[in-house]
Amino acid sequence: MTSPATGTTTADPPGPSTGPAPGPRPLQRRAQRRRRLFAYGTLAPTLLVVAVLMAYPLYVALDLSLRGGQISDLLDLSGNPYTLGNYAEVLSSSGLLADVVRSVVYTLGVVVPAFAIGLGLALLLNRAFPGRRIIRPLVLLPWAVPGVVVAAAFSWMLDSSYGVVNYLLRTVGLIDENVAWLADSRTALAAVIVPTVWKYYPFFTLILLAQLQSIPAELYEAARVDGASPVRQFRHITWPAIAGASTLAVVITAIGVFREFDFIFPLTGGGPNEATQTLAVRIYTEAFQYFEMGTATALGIVTMAICGFFLLAGGRSIRREFS
């Protein structure tokens, strides 16, 4: 290019390259290949353990659910042909919808109050007060108690003859005579929900308290300087900070409660008159009382599909939490 002022010729500035971008060099490609092989090699033991502990039992359950006839030997299924009859029987059963509804009611009846109690306790334990170090582990203690032990304790407390619950309610005048909480179809479901709430609320307290402690105190100080009320502080600072963890905890707990067995069967066995028969109890009944293993495993697959729906419903928040 010639300059009009000096009459000299200068070289044109280099323009953008229009050719294809150079690919990785052979040494870089070999290094990438080694890193990829190393990653797969380190993952291989974990994948093998997952395959043994999860994939194979899932395969066995799926295989059993597709076998027809009476299954007498789980190690030899050659005499049981493949069929969709178990799924047809389960999905056309008149009791399936009632079991699903009871399972959903039981799940909501546990998760909603357990979350409310857990959130309230987390907000309380996040504040400084005398004895907080002692109260914190005591509040979380129910989570460490085995479910069967909790069921045995509440079975005694809710007993219609000598239960302490009837005694307390009679003392304060709420009832005139003893109530058979676990033997009455009108109260049995509520009677199994109460111990389940007692068992699960510490999980919400633990998760939400950990999330509350990650909120900078300067945000609350700035909000108080601006004259924000405690309600507005919770709405604009606390809840946005714990919303993701709350959704994750609710989804995990809902899946666990939906297939809960430890509390219902020891307390009521699914009765009276199937008032507390959830999907988990029905699976146990089909498998170990009627010995219909094909029907029981088909019910298990249906239950797993419903739990998968719960996961998909809360998947966006879960992915945001782990991203």
Side-chain angles (χ1 to χ4, degrees):
M1 180 175 67
T2 303
S3 171
T6 61
T8 59
T9 302
T10 60
D12 292 335
S17 176
T18 57
R25 296 177 179 178
L27 288 177
Q28 292 177 333
R29 288 199 294 268
R30 283 197 291 271
Q32 291 176 356
R33 193 180 303 114
R34 283 196 297 269
R35 286 196 294 269
R36 194 177 299 117
L37 290 175
F38 177 77
Y40 285 134
T42 54
L43 284 174
T46 303
L47 294 176
L48 181 62
V49 172
V50 170
V52 172
L53 296 181
M54 294 183 61
Y56 181 71
L58 183 60
Y59 160 74
V60 172
L62 188 61
D63 186 48
L64 283 175
S65 70
L66 295 172
R67 296 286 184 170
Q70 191 74 27
I71 298 175
S72 56
D73 188 355
L74 295 177
L75 300 178
D76 184 11
L77 301 175
S78 58
N80 300 94
Y82 283 106
T83 177
L84 294 176
N86 293 323
Y87 287 97
E89 178 183 349
V90 167
L91 296 177
S92 62
S93 171
S94 58
L96 177 64
L97 181 59
D99 294 339
V100 172
V101 170
R102 276 190 291 268
S103 300
V104 172
V105 171
Y106 175 69
T107 302
L108 292 176
V110 171
V111 172
V112 173
F115 176 78
I117 296 172
L119 176 59
L121 286 174
L123 292 173
L124 177 64
L125 295 176
N126 194 43
R127 296 177 176 273
F129 58 87
R132 186 178 65 169
R133 290 185 178 181
I134 300 175
I135 294 177
R136 273 185 177 178
L138 293 178
V139 168
L140 302 178
L141 188 60
W143 198 32
V145 180
V148 176
V149 176
V150 177
F154 274 86
S155 175
W156 172 77
M157 294 169 62
L158 296 170
D159 188 88
S160 59
S161 300
Y162 51 81
V164 67
V165 173
N166 279 327
Y167 171 76
L168 293 175
L169 293 178
R170 282 200 323 272
T171 302
V172 298
L174 291 179
I175 58 175
D176 297 325
E177 56 185 11
N178 287 348
V179 178
W181 299 101
L182 298 172
D184 191 332
S185 58
R186 295 169 299 179
T187 59
L189 188 57
V192 297
I193 285 176
V194 171
T196 318
V197 171
W198 187 83
K199 170 71 176 177
Y200 275 94
Y201 84 81
F203 175 71
F204 288 111
T205 303
L206 183 66
I207 296 296
L208 298 179
L209 180 59
Q211 195 69 18
L212 286 172
Q213 291 180 338
S214 67
I215 303 175
E218 292 79 6
L219 294 179
Y220 293 104
E221 293 176 2
R224 283 192 289 270
V225 170
D226 293 339
S229 64
V231 175
R232 294 191 66 183
Q233 291 178 32
F234 177 84
R235 180 182 175 187
H236 296 288
I237 299 176
T238 305
W239 181 250
I242 66 174
S246 299
T247 305
L248 178 63
V250 166
V251 172
I252 292 175
T253 306
I255 292 174
V257 174
F258 189 79
R259 54 180 179 76
E260 186 61 66
F261 178 81
D262 291 355
F263 299 99
I264 303 175
F265 195 80
L267 286 172
T268 64
N273 298 325
E274 299 183 351
T276 58
Q277 178 172 279
T278 59
L279 283 173
V281 175
R282 185 176 174 189
I283 290 171
Y284 176 85
T285 303
E286 294 284 350
F288 299 108
Q289 291 188 3
Y290 303 141
F291 299 103
E292 295 287 348
M293 298 301 296
T295 305
T297 50
L299 268 171
I301 298 297
V302 171
T303 304
M304 187 176 65
I306 296 174
C307 292
F309 173 77
F310 282 146
L311 273 177
L312 289 176
R316 180 178 300 178
S317 298
I318 291 176
R319 285 192 294 271
R320 190 188 306 124
E321 187 68 19
F322 284 100
S323 63

